[in-house]
Amino acid sequence: MSATRLKELSNAAQIYGQRSFDNYAQVRSIAEQIRDGLCAWLDSSQKCVFLIPPQGPFKSENYGSAAFSVAGKGFLPLEPISFGLAVKISEDDDFMRLVMTARKEGDRMFLSLENGKMLALSLPSQEAELNSIFETLYEHLLQWFTHRVDNYDNGNYGSNDIGFDIQRAKREL
């Protein structure tokens, strides 16, 4: 007996669902490793990096599954997934959102930053690769500020770029 078309379609959808869940689980694992590792790398004495949604208002807290672009979509799509990192940038509890988009290719995870810079990690991730990503993220944020200060100091600070989300976000205790 041959399988019905509906059964064949159901089997294909089941395989798709398994892959999309695997994709989400791997992206979430990498995002959590980056959140925890970057915070420890910046200052191990305080909470300074949180997983937040890639868009919209945010507080300095971890959003769990709501931190990912696929949240609330019902049938989990098999696509690159974006997430936000709220990185503490001042002693006054100012946080800057850094958006990353992750896509898996074979045994590698590629993370793209807002400026198009691409970072790669092995799966499972290696400590040296993560440390390189922390350095790159730090330099990316630091250069965002220093470049704008330099432009201001030299009279060329007007532009039409969108920039980062920066807000004072008090944590709820």
Side-chain angles (χ1 to χ4, degrees):
M1 279 181 91
S2 65
T4 67
R5 288 183 181 101
L6 181 57
K7 181 68 174 166
E8 187 176 5
L9 186 57
S10 176
N11 289 341
Q14 182 177 4
I15 292 168
Y16 177 97
Q18 291 167 346
R19 297 303 190 284
S20 62
F21 181 77
D22 178 64
N23 182 53
Y24 169 74
Q26 289 193 56
V27 169
R28 183 167 180 166
S29 175
I30 293 294
E32 290 172 345
Q33 289 175 54
I34 292 172
R35 173 202 61 202
D36 296 343
L38 180 60
C39 187
W41 189 85
L42 290 169
D43 184 346
S44 62
S45 68
Q46 59 180 306
K47 291 274 192 182
C48 55
V49 180
F50 298 93
L51 271 174
I52 61 169
Q55 298 178 332
F58 68 91
K59 295 181 181 179
S60 56
E61 62 187 34
N62 289 311
Y63 281 73
S65 60
F68 299 90
S69 60
V70 295
K73 290 196 174 181
F75 198 80
L76 192 60
L78 184 54
E79 62 187 24
I81 298 173
S82 297
F83 58 91
L85 295 172
V87 180
K88 187 172 183 177
I89 58 168
S90 76
E91 297 302 319
D92 294 325
D93 284 335
D94 295 312
F95 285 80
M96 179 180 277
R97 182 191 334 250
L98 179 62
V99 176
M100 302 179 78
T101 301
R103 66 179 165 75
K104 180 182 174 292
E105 288 185 17
D107 63 350
R108 312 257 316 145
M109 183 72 67
F110 293 90
L111 304 164
S112 62
L113 294 174
E114 297 154 325
N115 66 353
K117 184 166 181 90
M118 189 68 64
L119 309 169
L121 282 169
S122 301
L123 294 172
S125 60
Q126 306 297 315
E127 185 177 344
E129 291 174 319
L130 285 168
N131 285 331
S132 176
I133 285 178
F134 305 152
E135 182 69 37
T136 300
L137 295 177
Y138 171 75
E139 288 298 323
H140 179 74
L141 294 169
L142 188 62
Q143 286 177 13
W144 188 88
F145 288 107
T146 57
H147 178 74
R148 278 154 182 79
V149 167
D150 183 56
N151 283 346
Y152 174 78
D153 288 348
N154 293 301
N156 184 22
Y157 67 100
S159 73
N160 292 325
D161 68 346
I162 294 171
F164 283 93
D165 267 345
I166 300 176
Q167 61 186 353
R168 186 150 297 155
K170 296 290 184 184
R171 283 185 300 195
E172 295 191 17
L173 303 174

